[in-house]
Amino acid sequence: MSRLLLVSLVVATAATGALIITMVVGLPPAHPPPGPNGMPPPPPNLRPLATFPVVTGLFVLAWLSVLVVFSRDQILARIRQVQREPEAAVQRIDELFTELRSQLAADRERELRMLEERIAELTTEYGEQRETDGYLSGMRVATTEDPAAKVHALRRDRRPGV
C-alpha cells in the first residue's frame, strides 16, 4: 500500500464520518413540536442544510481520490513487473497475438463458409423461380387463342436499325 493511498483512505473515512455526523445533527426534525397556543409550528431552520452539499462533495471527492490512487498503484505495479521480466512479457504478448490471429482466421473461415452457403441457396432459389416463371408463361401462351402473337424473344437485338 502506498502512502498516498493510505492518506486517501484516511481522508475518505473522515469525510464519511463527517457526512454521517452532518446528517444526524443537521437534519431538522420530521415533525416539529406544535407552536404556542395551538398555532402551527414555526418553519424549520434550514441553515444547517447548507453544509450538506459541501460535505457530500468532500465525501465524493475523497472516495474518488481513493479509487484513482488505487488504480494508479495497480498500473505502476504492472509496469514494474513488466520491467523486471521483459522477455516473459514480450513472449506473453506474442502468444496473445497468435491466439487472436487464429481466432480471427477461424471466424473469417466460418463467415466465408456461411456466405458461400447463402449465395448457393439464393442462386438455386433464383433458378427455380426463373424456371417456374418460364413454365407459367409458356402455359399462358399455350392457352391463348393465337400463340404466335404472344411469343416474345428472350433477348432483344440491340443493334441499331434492326
Side-chain angles (χ1 to χ4, degrees):
M1 230 179 180
S2 68
R3 283 183 283 174
L4 185 60
L5 181 59
L6 189 60
V7 169
S8 297
L9 279 171
V10 169
V11 171
T13 305
T16 303
L19 182 64
I20 292 171
I21 290 171
T22 305
M23 288 181 69
V24 169
V25 173
L27 284 179
H31 298 290
N37 299 329
M39 298 285 291
N45 183 10
L46 299 179
R47 187 173 303 258
L49 290 180
T51 59
F52 276 120
V54 174
V55 174
T56 304
L58 289 174
F59 170 81
V60 169
L61 287 176
W63 283 106
L64 184 63
S65 71
V66 168
L67 178 68
V68 168
V69 171
F70 179 75
S71 299
R72 181 197 73 115
D73 288 349
Q74 292 295 315
I75 292 170
L76 288 176
R78 290 286 177 122
I79 290 173
R80 282 188 211 112
Q81 180 183 10
V82 168
Q83 287 175 346
R84 275 187 248 130
E85 305 167 4
E87 296 165 358
V90 170
Q91 183 180 4
R92 177 68 180 141
I93 290 172
D94 287 342
E95 290 172 2
L96 289 174
F97 274 131
T98 304
E99 182 181 341
L100 179 63
R101 285 184 186 117
S102 65
Q103 288 175 356
L104 287 174
D107 288 346
R108 184 172 183 246
E109 288 297 323
R110 187 179 67 244
E111 288 173 0
L112 283 174
R113 203 170 29 254
M114 288 173 33
L115 183 62
E116 288 172 354
E117 290 172 1
R118 182 66 180 145
I119 288 174
E121 179 183 312
L122 286 173
T123 304
T124 303
E125 185 178 322
Y126 179 75
E128 290 174 357
Q129 181 67 36
R130 291 287 295 181
E131 184 179 346
T132 303
D133 288 347
Y135 175 77
L136 292 175
S137 177
M139 291 303 289
R140 269 190 244 115
V141 168
T143 58
T144 60
E145 296 170 5
D146 187 14
K150 298 288 183 174
V151 175
H152 299 287
L154 289 177
R155 292 193 177 108
R156 293 186 182 148
D157 198 1
R158 296 194 187 262
R159 292 178 290 174
V162 177

